[in-house]
Structure formats: C-alpha cells, structure tokens
Amino acid sequence: EAAAERTLSGPEAVERARRLFSEAEKFEAGHDRARYAEALRGFLTFVDRHRDLLEDSGAELAARLDEAAMAFYRLSETDLAGRAVDAGLAYAPGSAALLHHKALVLLAQNRSVDQALPLVEQALSANPHDKTVWATKGDALRLLNRPQEAAEAYLHAQQLDATSMQYVEKALRLDPRNPVALRMKLQLAKAHGGDQQALDACEALLVAHPDDPELLV
C-alpha cells in the first residue's frame, strides 16, 4: 500500500482523500466514535503525506480538514485538532472558520493563549457577524485577564443572538453590575417570558438608578 501511494497521481490522491473522508462520515453516521476517530486520523495522515499532490483541490480539502478539526475537538483530541486545522490553513490561510477554530483549539489546550486573540481578530475581519467568533474573543480576553473587554465581546455576541441569553450571562459573571448587560438581560428576559430574570435585572439596575421611571414601570 505504501508503494502504491508513492506512485499516486494528483487526481488519484484527491480521490483517495475524498474516499477516506467519506468512510469516516459513515462511521459518524453509525455513531461509532472509536472507528470515526480512527478513520479521521487515517484521512489526516494521508493528507499530511501528500500535500504536494493535493494542492489543486485546496479549497475542498480545507473545508474537510476544518470538519475533521472540529470532530477531533469534540472528541477532546486537541492535538489532532490542531494538526488538522494547521493543515487546513496551509490550503486556505485566510479562512475565517479555520482561524476561529485554531483559536478554539489553543484555548482548549490552554497554551499560547496570547496567540488566540489575533486569530480571532482575523476571523472577525472576514466574518464580523458570527456570534460564536465574538464569544471566542470574549473567552480569550477573559483568559488574558481583561474582564471588561471580555464582557464587551460577550455583549456583542449577544446582540447577534436573539434566541438565548447565554452570552449576556457570561458578561454578567465577569461584571455583575454592568449596566449595558443588565439592560440587555432585562429586555431579553421580557421578550422570552423570564419574568423573574427580568425583575432581577431591573432591581440590579435600580440600585444605581433608583428614580429611573422606565425601570420603575
């Protein structure tokens, strides 16, 4: 098999990579986590060995390597996730998704945290309306002991999310009296029927603004 791989043409290598990834997807569909991870490792190893033959399908491979990276991330295989995302960035260095996911991996590994923030900033330059990227920026800033900026990033993420209060809650854990966060939580709680949460936010705001007629109403 190794000898056969050495004689592969570019199109043959591309087809082989596609087949390996497809096999991994079948194991995922069958909920066989162990064989899914093993198949993804085989796919990643093949791509690493044949990068020069796969350049013509770089965009396609970058997307599949990004999927593989996030699969490894969910499986807590962060070293393999890092390998996959770096391989993807070799084909698509400006990919917002890959830049964001590399930052996620670095944060999960709790190493080179200072490198995660520039990656997130690059991702936001390409895709400024992705709430998950803003949330990752908040995580990076929090780990860098910059709580006020982290809270602002979480609130930006919340502005892009009309379905939950997860990001405003993160902001308030960092800065419980943040007036912008409290007002945002008040409005979200009212919209989603969370009367007690709305009341809690309102009372926290009234501490600083006891005569605010809107809050009193």
Side-chain angles (χ1 to χ4, degrees):
E1 185 177 354
E5 283 190 4
R6 283 195 293 270
T7 61
L8 284 174
S9 66
E12 288 170 335
V14 171
E15 189 55 39
R16 178 70 184 280
R18 287 174 180 155
R19 189 164 65 250
L20 288 168
F21 190 80
S22 179
E23 289 171 1
E25 288 181 313
K26 290 176 185 176
F27 292 127
E28 180 190 25
H31 306 289
D32 189 336
R33 288 166 57 91
R35 295 182 76 182
Y36 178 45
E38 182 181 355
L40 282 178
R41 282 193 290 270
F43 165 73
L44 179 57
T45 298
F46 181 84
V47 171
D48 280 341
R49 288 178 178 170
H50 300 88
R51 289 191 187 186
D52 55 331
L53 296 176
L54 297 168
E55 290 178 354
D56 289 342
S57 62
E60 176 189 344
L61 269 177
R64 290 181 174 176
L65 285 161
D66 187 41
E67 288 184 51
M70 287 299 91
F72 286 130
Y73 176 82
R74 290 189 294 273
L75 293 166
S76 299
E77 297 274 7
T78 56
D79 287 341
L80 288 170
R83 269 181 60 196
V85 82
D86 284 338
L89 283 167
Y91 292 110
S95 165
L98 283 162
L99 291 165
H100 174 215
H101 293 156
K102 183 174 176 64
L104 275 181
V105 171
L106 290 174
L107 294 177
Q109 293 172 331
N110 198 25
R111 68 173 73 148
S112 305
V113 174
D114 57 322
Q115 295 178 20
L117 188 57
L119 290 167
V120 173
E121 296 286 12
Q122 284 181 263
L124 285 172
S125 295
N127 189 7
H129 304 298
D130 189 325
K131 63 187 179 184
T132 62
V133 185
W134 280 101
T136 302
K137 180 177 180 178
D139 292 341
L141 288 164
R142 175 175 54 81
L143 291 172
L144 290 169
N145 293 316
R146 293 160 64 177
Q148 296 299 322
E149 293 169 86
E152 290 174 12
Y154 289 138
L155 292 177
H156 202 120
Q158 188 63 70
Q159 289 173 345
L160 298 167
D161 181 4
T163 62
S164 75
M165 291 194 294
Q166 59 176 319
Y167 303 122
V168 75
E169 294 288 6
K170 284 190 170 188
L172 286 168
R173 280 196 289 272
L174 288 174
D175 186 3
R177 297 295 177 186
N178 185 306
V180 176
L182 286 167
R183 286 187 182 273
M184 191 177 292
K185 180 176 179 179
L186 172 58
Q187 295 304 317
L188 286 166
K190 285 168 63 180
H192 293 293
D195 293 340
Q196 186 58 54
Q197 290 178 309
L199 184 60
D200 291 344
C202 194
E203 289 181 344
L205 284 163
L206 281 166
V207 172
H209 306 281
D211 299 320
D212 186 311
E214 181 185 357
L215 294 174
L216 291 169
V217 169

